[in-house]
């Protein structure tokens, strides 16, 4: 949760030595926080770079699913789709949530 351009997802895929078939769900609103807005970051471009990186990871045998929205809605969607026991690892970028004052809702 908190995917931005996808660098952390790419790192985890590159470092993967624990599963032959890796399935990753990346959640972000791609709206950016206050720090992005005040610095004029084009979040549409950031999201496009994420999509480009995610597609490049598919060549490495990883399945990357982009879920655009808040974490609470994305988690509900995943649970409704039968993923209740699918997760071995969950990575949350919490510092950005604290800095923006919004926080993640679980």
């Amino acid at each position: 949760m908190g995917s931005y351009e996808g660098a952390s997802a790419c790192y985890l895929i590159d470092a993967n030595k624990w599963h032959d078939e890796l399935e990753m769900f990346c959640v972000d609103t791609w709206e950016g926080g206050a720090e992005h807005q005040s610095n004029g970051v084009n979040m549409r471009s950031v999201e496009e770079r994420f999509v480009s990186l995610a597609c490049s990871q598919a060549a490495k045998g990883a399945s990357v699913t982009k879920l655009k929205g808040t974490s609470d809605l994305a988690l509900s969607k995943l649970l409704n789709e039968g993923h209740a026991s699918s997760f071995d690892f969950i990575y949350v970028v919490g510092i950005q949530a604290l800095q923006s004052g919004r926080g993640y809702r679980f």
Side-chain angles (χ1 to χ4, degrees), residues 20-38:
D20 291 333
E21 295 179 17
L22 184 66
E23 185 176 19
M24 184 174 290
F25 299 91
C26 297
V27 179
D28 204 307
T29 62
W30 283 279
E31 294 174 356
E35 68 279 12
H36 302 107
Q37 294 165 3
S38 65

Side-chain angles (χ1 to χ4, degrees), residues 59-103:
K60 298 177 182 178
S63 167
V64 179
T65 301
K66 173 186 159 195
L67 298 169
K68 186 172 182 174
T70 59
S71 57
D72 57 335
L73 296 178
L75 182 57
S76 293
K77 179 181 183 337
L78 290 169
L79 293 175
N80 286 332
E81 292 175 353
H83 292 284
S85 60
S86 297
F87 305 103
D88 295 320
F89 178 80
I90 298 175
Y91 175 72
V92 179
V93 180
I95 189 68
Q96 294 172 353
L98 291 174
Q99 288 174 341
S100 70
R102 291 181 294 178

